[in-house]
Amino acid sequence: MKILLHVCCGPCSTASVERLREKGYDVVLFFPNSNIYPEGEWEKRLENARKIAELHGLELVVGEYDHSAWREFVRGLENEKEGGARCLRCFEFNLAKTAKKARELGIENFTTTLTVSRFKNSSQIAEVGRVVGARIGVNFLEHDFKKQGGFEKSVELAKKFDLYRQNYCGCEFSLRN
Ligand code: SF4
């Protein structure tokens, strides 16, 4: 079964890609992530996503970087704490981009590496994914990649492949924190 995987960064994609491939999915990677600031950081994370694509021989589709559009989408939520309403909007932004890209590519399913993070609530991500998928007409497949040691595995593989590991979530508000 083909699936478009939203990749938030290289380290998070390591264990997620392995898990999906073990389950027999035909994985295509998608890197949008206009939430990431500054653009140089987006490029660094993209570079890591390219490494993972090359390691597994997978196609990587790169989205347009438009941080202004993301800022507009989260307007009014700038001072929210990490894990709050701004993050839900942020998930919606990237998951809607992924669902639209999946539809454009004729891929019926999508999911996200975001659930590998122990700092993110996988149920909230899945809820946003289901709503967005229903709206756009693509199936969101719920995979909680942090389960069964997925987070620890992503740390181990990131070291093994010598990937850059960022120390903030992505946007300027998380950088400030
Ligand atoms: S903290 Fe992370 S998830 Fe929350 S809005 Fe910023 S980039 Fe998005």
Side-chain angles (χ1 to χ4, degrees):
M1 191 192 285
K2 206 162 188 175
I3 191 165
L4 188 66
L5 176 64
H6 163 240
V7 170
C8 61
C9 64
C12 287
S13 66
T14 53
S16 313
V17 167
E18 281 200 357
R19 183 81 50 91
L20 288 175
R21 298 194 84 193
E22 279 162 15
K23 290 185 174 179
Y25 286 101
D26 177 6
V27 183
V28 176
L29 308 178
F30 180 51
F31 188 93
N33 306 324
S34 291
N35 54 307
I36 297 172
Y37 178 88
E39 190 169 358
E41 176 72 17
W42 181 81
E43 282 162 3
K44 266 192 203 172
R45 297 189 195 191
L46 172 59
E47 200 45 48
N48 269 349
R50 284 196 206 285
K51 274 192 192 176
I52 296 300
E54 280 166 22
L55 275 166
H56 290 277
L58 298 176
E59 181 185 355
L60 170 70
V61 180
V62 181
E64 181 199 2
Y65 181 73
D66 186 354
H67 190 64
S68 306
W70 180 84
R71 281 296 300 259
E72 192 54 38
F73 200 72
V74 301
R75 184 181 290 280
L77 302 170
E78 293 83 351
N79 294 320
E80 285 280 321
K81 284 192 181 142
E82 207 164 318
R86 187 188 65 245
C87 297
L88 290 177
R89 288 285 282 170
C90 183
F91 301 155
E92 185 184 345
F93 189 87
N94 279 320
L95 292 179
K97 293 268 178 211
T98 308
K100 283 179 189 162
K101 182 56 73 178
R103 194 177 58 188
E104 185 189 317
L105 297 172
I107 299 175
E108 289 178 4
N109 310 291
F110 74 109
T111 195
T112 175
T113 60
L114 287 168
T115 62
V116 88
S117 169
R118 61 181 173 180
F119 304 109
K120 291 191 173 65
N121 181 322
S122 299
S123 308
Q124 284 183 336
I125 294 166
E127 180 58 25
V128 174
R130 279 193 293 270
V131 169
V132 162
R135 192 170 75 214
I136 296 169
V138 187
N139 302 317
F140 177 79
L141 299 187
E142 189 172 344
H143 289 279
D144 190 352
F145 292 118
K146 71 169 79 51
K147 280 194 172 162
Q148 293 148 348
F151 174 76
E152 293 75 12
K153 182 85 179 168
S154 72
V155 173
E156 180 195 319
L157 291 173
K159 275 189 195 151
K160 181 177 168 187
F161 300 136
D162 195 25
L163 298 180
Y164 158 68
R165 275 188 76 81
Q166 63 275 358
N167 59 5
Y168 69 105
C169 185
C171 64
E172 51 270 63
F173 310 111
S174 59
L175 178 60
R176 189 177 62 197
N177 290 338

